[in-house]
């Protein structure tokens, strides 16, 4: 589990991979060839990114004949997303308290 | 290697000197953040947090940037880097906080219970992207 979350953050640190994942979240399954039509990178480049997403557990691979189809898998994303949102909310609350403190006349 | 960076910011109706004081003085930090003890405002200085965690000052650029490392989930030693950046805007001072180093997630994190996701995955990806930016460390 811990290793999976580690991989999720590494996989999501790249903007192209986030876009690929968003595309797959909208419509799955898709092949690398189909995705290559929609992104300004080669099919080989797409496959490299999909491998990273697969390693992170964010997409699953279905093999049908010679063709690999990629399916969005939200399970590991849910844990990572909820965690990062929690940390973001904590910072929002702290910054709001900082603002209240500094803007107070008695500061 | 790119790093996942969490970024949040707020605009404060005060000048940079006031905001700088509030983020670098233990007395003020205790009021809006949490009790943090340190002897000197200098890079490498040890920080002791009220909850017992430890860290160290990583960056001191007066009136511009202040950064420190702290334990992400004590007692695990893994640390993230937090950086506050101040900039002057017409309304006063914008303070932006970034936190990074989540790739070194400790075991303890998995014990956090996550709430059920009732929103669509697409929305979740959008909000996740909004919280994060990609950049060279």
């Amino acid at each position: 589990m811990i290793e999976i979350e580690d991989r999720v953050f590494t996989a999501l640190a790249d903007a192209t991979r986030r876009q690929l994942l968003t595309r797959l979240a909208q419509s799955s399954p898709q092949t690398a060839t189909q995705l290559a039509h929609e992104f300004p990178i080669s099919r080989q480049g797409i496959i490299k990114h999909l491998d990273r997403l697969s390693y992170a557990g964010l997409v699953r691979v279905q093999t049908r004949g010679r063709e690999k189809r990629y399916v969005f898998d939200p399970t590991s994303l849910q844990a990572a997303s909820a965690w990062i949102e929690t940390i973001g909310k904590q910072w929002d609350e702290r910054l709001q308290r900082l603002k209240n403190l500094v803007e107070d006349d008695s500061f | 290697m790119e790093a996942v960076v969490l970024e949040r910011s707020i605009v404060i109706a005060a000048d940079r000197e006031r905001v700088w004081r509030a983020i670098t003085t233990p007395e003020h930090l205790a009021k809006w953040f949490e009790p943090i003890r340190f002897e000197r405002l200098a890079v490498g200085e040890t920080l002791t947090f009220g909850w017992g965690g430890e860290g160290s000052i990583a960056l001191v650029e007066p009136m511009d940037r202040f950064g420190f490392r702290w334990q992400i989930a004590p007692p695990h030693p893994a640390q993230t880097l937090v950086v506050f950046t101040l900039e002057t805007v017409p309304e006063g001072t914008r303070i932006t906080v970034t936190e990074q180093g989540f790739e070194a997630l400790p075991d303890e994190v998995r014990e956090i219970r996550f709430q059920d996701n009732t929103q669509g995955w697409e929305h979740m990806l959008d909000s996740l992207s909004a919280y994060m930016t990609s950049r060279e460390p």
Side-chain angles (χ1 to χ4, degrees):
Chain A
M1 175 69 178
I2 171 62
E3 281 179 24
I4 288 176
E5 284 184 9
D6 180 347
R7 291 173 198 166
V8 168
F9 284 110
T10 307
L12 291 175
D14 181 90
T16 302
R17 283 198 289 276
R18 288 203 297 272
Q19 288 164 15
L20 267 173
L21 196 60
T22 302
R23 189 69 195 93
L24 283 171
Q26 291 162 343
S27 170
S28 282
Q30 295 206 52
T31 65
T33 306
Q34 287 172 323
L35 290 165
H37 287 311
E38 298 180 37
F39 286 82
I41 47 177
S42 69
R43 185 174 165 279
Q44 283 309 311
I46 294 275
I47 287 174
K48 268 190 180 175
H49 283 308
L50 288 170
D51 282 346
R52 293 291 292 273
L53 290 170
S54 166
Y55 182 65
L58 292 165
V59 303
R60 280 179 292 108
V61 188
Q62 301 174 339
T63 307
R64 181 171 294 183
R66 294 174 55 193
E67 190 186 55
K68 278 185 177 176
R69 289 143 55 98
Y70 296 85
V71 184
F72 175 57
D73 183 349
T75 316
S76 53
L77 180 67
Q78 181 178 12
S81 174
W83 191 72
I84 206 95
E85 283 203 44
T86 300
I87 293 178
K89 277 181 188 139
Q90 285 174 354
W91 279 117
D92 280 337
E93 288 164 11
R94 289 181 191 128
L95 291 178
Q96 188 60 50
R97 286 200 299 269
L98 171 67
K99 179 180 168 73
N100 295 345
L101 174 74
V102 175
E103 289 183 352
D104 192 280
D105 290 337
S106 64
F107 179 76
Chain B
M1 175 71 192
E2 289 177 328
V4 169
V5 181
L6 184 149
E7 182 176 309
R8 314 297 294 152
S9 77
I10 199 167
V11 173
I12 298 175
D15 62 29
R16 268 153 88 150
E17 193 277 330
R18 279 166 77 98
V19 179
W20 177 258
R21 217 159 12 106
I23 64 171
T24 57
T25 314
E27 174 202 346
H28 297 309
L29 282 164
K31 287 178 194 156
W32 68 271
F33 192 178
E34 51 189 290
I36 305 173
R37 287 207 315 273
F38 55 96
E39 297 293 317
R40 293 179 310 129
L41 184 61
V43 172
E45 189 76 13
T46 299
L47 303 179
T48 308
F49 293 86
W51 38 268
E54 290 223 331
S56 62
I57 295 178
L59 192 67
V60 180
E61 293 171 10
M63 307 299 154
D64 286 328
R65 293 201 299 165
F66 173 57
F68 62 83
R69 293 178 198 282
W70 66 339
Q71 283 169 282
I72 193 168
H76 194 282
Q79 294 188 328
T80 53
L81 172 66
V82 174
V83 176
F84 297 101
T85 304
L86 306 186
E87 64 185 303
T88 302
V89 293
E91 302 87 349
T93 303
R94 173 180 293 280
I95 178 166
T96 302
V97 57
T98 61
E99 182 164 7
Q100 60 186 292
F102 302 108
E103 291 81 355
L105 283 177
D107 291 348
E108 286 82 345
V109 169
R110 70 183 173 185
E111 289 164 15
I112 296 175
R113 294 197 173 276
F114 299 111
Q115 60 215 26
D116 288 343
N117 172 45
T118 52
Q119 295 158 322
W121 296 115
E122 229 179 298
H123 173 80
M124 176 172 281
L125 275 164
D126 282 349
S127 67
L128 186 61
S129 292
Y131 273 112
M132 303 190 309
T133 54
S134 300
R135 65 180 62 167
E136 303 299 322

